Amino acid sequence: MKILVCITNVPDTTAKISFTDNDTKLNKTGVQFIIGPYDDYALARGVELKEQLGGSLTVLHVGEADAEPQIRKALAIGADDAIRVNADPQDSYFVAVQIAHIARQNSYDLILMGRESIDYNSGVVHGLVGEMLGIPSYSPVMKLDLEGNNATFTREIDGGKEVLKAPLPLVLGCQEPIAEWKIPNMRGIMTARTKPLNVVEPVAVDDMTVPQTYKLPAPKGACRMIPASEAETLIKLLQTEAKVL
């Protein structure tokens, strides 16, 4: 079983965001970066499957060198090796092309990633990769089991869930509760230092997206607390001030 888990390197959800270069680039100064939370679910399930079935698990990231602490964390959690495509990705298409290029060279049985990153939230990379490789892709997957060459998985749909069965290879976008997040232990942290992290250059891709400008959302307004005993006041305010009733 050869598993590829693709991870993003995104700002912590508590980070204060600002922009540089005339509001065309993220200002990374002082920002704490983390593995994308949905990617953490994919990584955790990938590690569980490798431990259960044997084989190998490779972590792939498309990004710059400042992501290597997060890649080492993934190695500490249980990945065997890692690949970093040395690039500053501009959009989902660029990332998908790089992932597909690596996947063609190594013939993975299963490609896992989060259902979306939490910075741009496009949620299309798994579909693009599946299309480029000519294999099925599904998202968001909440439960995943493997038996032989077949996967049985549950994914969320409008108003409920559906259980599907499909042969490998597959590309899956993952979300909770597919697995519990894993925290690296000291042994994992020590061994991660010696695991291979291969840096490769990207394949050429025409720019599909050029950011014109980024804008922050409007600040939240003041919060007014209405006691539960004053339900009539709340209804009146929703009618006259918020105008949502």
Side-chain angles (χ1 to χ4, degrees), residues 1-3 5 31-32 40 49 53 60 64 69 80 88 100-101 136 155-156 159 161 178 206 209 237:
M1 178 67 60
K2 291 182 64 176
I3 302 173
V5 177
V31 174
Q32 177 69 38
D40 257 330
L49 290 171
L53 304 171
L60 171 61
E64 297 178 303
D80 298 297
D88 180 14
H101 177 70
R155 70 170 179 171
E156 186 175 11
K161 306 172 186 175
I178 192 168
D206 292 334
T209 303
L237 291 173

Side-chain angles (χ1 to χ4, degrees), residues 9 61-67 71 84-89 94 199-200:
N9 182 46
H61 174 68
V62 182
E64 297 178 303
D66 57 5
I71 298 173
R84 180 173 68 83
V85 178
N86 186 34
D88 180 14
F94 180 92
V199 179
V200 300

Side-chain angles (χ1 to χ4, degrees), residues 101-143:
H101 177 70
I102 297 295
R104 288 191 192 95
Q105 295 176 321
N106 297 280
S107 300
Y108 296 102
D109 300 297
L110 187 62
I111 301 175
L112 303 177
M113 60 187 75
R115 74 174 194 185
E116 62 187 51
S117 64
I118 64 163
D119 47 5
Y120 292 96
N121 300 99
S122 66
V124 299
V125 172
H126 36 73
L128 291 171
V129 171
E131 186 68 20
M132 291 172 183
L133 296 176
I135 60 177
S137 65
Y138 299 91
S139 183
V141 174
M142 308 165 66
K143 186 176 186 299

